[in-house]
Amino acid sequence: MGMEKTGTVRLEFDPELNKLSGDKELRDGLSVVVQVGNTLWVTNDETITLERLSLQKSEDGNKHVYGDHKQFRLIEYLPLPVPPDDKKKKIEEADLEGLDYKDGYLWLVGSHSLKRKKADDEDSEKDNIKNLANVSSDGNRFLLARIPIVEEGGTYVLKKEVEQEGEKRTAALLDCTATGSRLTEVIECDKHLKKFLSVPGKDNGFDIEGLARVGDRVFVGLRGPVLRGWAVILELEPEVSKEDSSKLKLKVIDPDDGSIYRKHFLKLDGLGIRDMFAQGDDLLILAGPTMELDGPVTVYRWKGGARPENESVVFPDEVPEVGAIPFGVEEDKGKDHAEGMTLFSAQGHQSASVLVVYDSASKGRRPKGEATMVADIFSLPE
């Protein structure tokens, strides 16, 4: 089964902002996307910034161009555990893997994961054996936050603090440090997940990818661990601290046992969660491998998943497959990893569509000499 590709979106980045360290480019590794009005918000998981692209034109209902690239530095809105240091070449990346927009706020979450150093064919055998034993974490990966977003001058911008119609809205962050957060603190006691906190994300360790804001709740999807074929979604209820409006805390969800999160286990053919969003009472889930594999990549619909009554074990008949997303093969092997997905609507295009952006984008998506990346639009069967 495949989802029908019905169009493309051309993402035009500022050539200077597109340059990262070394020969890396911003456009090459997009980890998440969300549409807010006439803008798309994306991020590269090796940065500590959010990127806004605004709709420039739509052609024939299936070709869209987003540009006028504006970059927003997280440090201007949130107290990052490891602020950027202009004297150091390396930044402590946020590894943002989930974005959603709800009620005037952009919600975001970092991976909360550890990473294992890669082996390099230019290194000696001895050095590569040492590399593969090197496990670390960037200090800004433990973010769960919200930032006010407002319409201004025909587009959308972030604000650290804003007052509209007598309501004061502020950026707020769940308590975190360079080594963990309030969320990882409570998971250290979880019978299913605690042992995976010390395992790197790409080794089937604890690794958040995907966020959906529904009502007062936040759902975060785990790329890993996948437990004997069962993927995991955590349901949380962040609320603003009464003592400090710049801080979030996790509200008790179940007063009977004091739980501040619920777990939902989903049978997704052994795949982990890469992104998700709510559509009505359902959750649409982009799923892919937990390990270093190209595919398969599949979209599922968890019926009623945006409004679960209790913790749940969700069998395949409750989370049917919507369709497959193509991934890199043959000359593109190792490329085009679908990482971000958002419900997409633009002038001249049907609303029942999803936009998908890719990490490790293939050459065909990156026109030579340009700071551009091509994303795909797929129809969303009803």
Side-chain angles (χ1 to χ4, degrees), residues 213-257:
R213 173 75 172 175
V214 184
D216 294 331
R217 299 286 168 90
V218 166
F219 296 83
V220 293
L222 303 188
R223 174 178 177 172
V226 172
L227 306 177
R228 193 161 183 154
W230 293 87
V232 183
I233 290 177
L234 302 179
E235 180 185 355
L236 317 168
E237 189 167 337
E239 63 178 1
V240 178
S241 169
K242 294 180 180 179
E243 293 76 27
D244 186 346
S245 62
S246 69
K247 292 185 177 181
L248 295 174
K249 63 179 184 178
L250 296 179
K251 184 178 179 179
V252 172
I253 288 180
D254 189 340
D256 292 335
D257 61 11

Side-chain angles (χ1 to χ4, degrees), residues 172-292:
L173 174 68
L174 188 69
D175 279 342
C176 64
T177 67
T179 57
S181 71
R182 174 58 179 151
L183 180 57
T184 57
E185 179 183 312
V186 297
I187 288 174
E188 285 176 354
C189 299
D190 187 274
K191 59 186 177 183
H192 293 103
L193 303 174
K194 61 183 179 181
K195 293 183 179 179
F196 294 93
L197 287 173
S198 61
V199 180
K202 289 184 174 62
D203 295 355
N204 196 39
F206 188 84
D207 188 4
I208 293 175
E209 291 205 13
L211 176 151
R213 173 75 172 175
V214 184
D216 294 331
R217 299 286 168 90
V218 166
F219 296 83
V220 293
L222 303 188
R223 174 178 177 172
V226 172
L227 306 177
R228 193 161 183 154
W230 293 87
V232 183
I233 290 177
L234 302 179
E235 180 185 355
L236 317 168
E237 189 167 337
E239 63 178 1
V240 178
S241 169
K242 294 180 180 179
E243 293 76 27
D244 186 346
S245 62
S246 69
K247 292 185 177 181
L248 295 174
K249 63 179 184 178
L250 296 179
K251 184 178 179 179
V252 172
I253 288 180
D254 189 340
D256 292 335
D257 61 11
S259 298
I260 60 175
Y261 64 96
R262 289 175 177 167
K263 289 174 290 189
H264 304 284
F265 301 92
L266 294 86
K267 196 71 168 177
L268 304 178
D269 300 309
L271 302 176
I273 293 165
R274 309 305 289 270
D275 204 358
M276 58 188 184
F277 63 80
Q279 185 186 36
D281 289 340
D282 300 342
L283 277 184
L284 273 291
I285 299 167
L286 177 68
T290 63
M291 315 295 272
E292 284 280 274

